Amino acid sequence: MAEEAKWFVVHTYSGYENKVKANIEKSVDNRGMQDLIQAVEVPLEDVIEEKNGEKKTVKRKVFPGYVVIKMVMTDESWYVVRNTRGVTGFVGPGSKPVPLSDEEVERMGVETVRAADLDVAVGDHVMVKSGPLEGFSGVIEEIQTERRKLIVKVSMFGRETPVEVDYNQVEHID
């Protein structure tokens, strides 16, 4: 029964995101469910705000009213999350929880999926497998590990053009 944990999105009362995170984590500890509910996140982003002429970096919720949870969906884990104070339900059609895809998880910035399996180096040939440049191939000029981006020189309209693509948009070709 080694089912893989997936990321799910839970809707909460606005302003309750951190309380919900804390309450779920407490329930998990009390019930010893760390194997079923593995992570609870409130995605944050750095935003520069200007007050009285001073710029300050503050953390702001990327998705107010939502918490993302990495869990193995069982009756018990569903029950614990669903009955946490402040949770209004799972996101999905007809209250059926739908897990996020790897691409959605990466775009949300909650987890870097497949970080190590992109085995490429500057000078390697890659094929773009998704996005507006799908089908183009090119040579890696730069790898931006922190941003999970590649600068790839592709031949477009008869000239070499550097383009930026995500790790998950390319595959290595020989």
Side-chain angles (χ1 to χ4, degrees), residues 133 136 154-161:
L133 299 170
F136 280 92
V154 297
S155 179
M156 206 182 290
F157 313 117
R159 54 152 49 109
E160 297 287 304
T161 308

Side-chain angles (χ1 to χ4, degrees), residues 96-165:
K96 181 187 184 321
V98 175
L100 295 169
S101 69
D102 286 350
E103 285 74 27
E104 289 169 323
V105 171
E106 279 203 10
R107 274 204 308 272
M108 289 175 76
V110 288
E111 184 179 52
T112 45
V113 181
R114 302 182 306 270
D117 77 352
L118 189 75
D119 189 18
V120 294
V122 172
D124 284 1
H125 288 269
V126 291
M127 172 70 73
V128 180
K129 60 181 185 185
S130 68
L133 299 170
E134 184 176 348
F136 280 92
S137 65
V139 176
I140 297 176
E141 279 198 327
E142 189 183 331
I143 299 173
Q144 299 174 351
T145 318
E146 311 75 48
R147 293 181 59 227
R148 302 187 47 70
K149 302 270 188 201
L150 301 171
I151 304 298
V152 178
K153 196 173 254 189
V154 297
S155 179
M156 206 182 290
F157 313 117
R159 54 152 49 109
E160 297 287 304
T161 308
V163 296
E164 183 180 90
V165 292

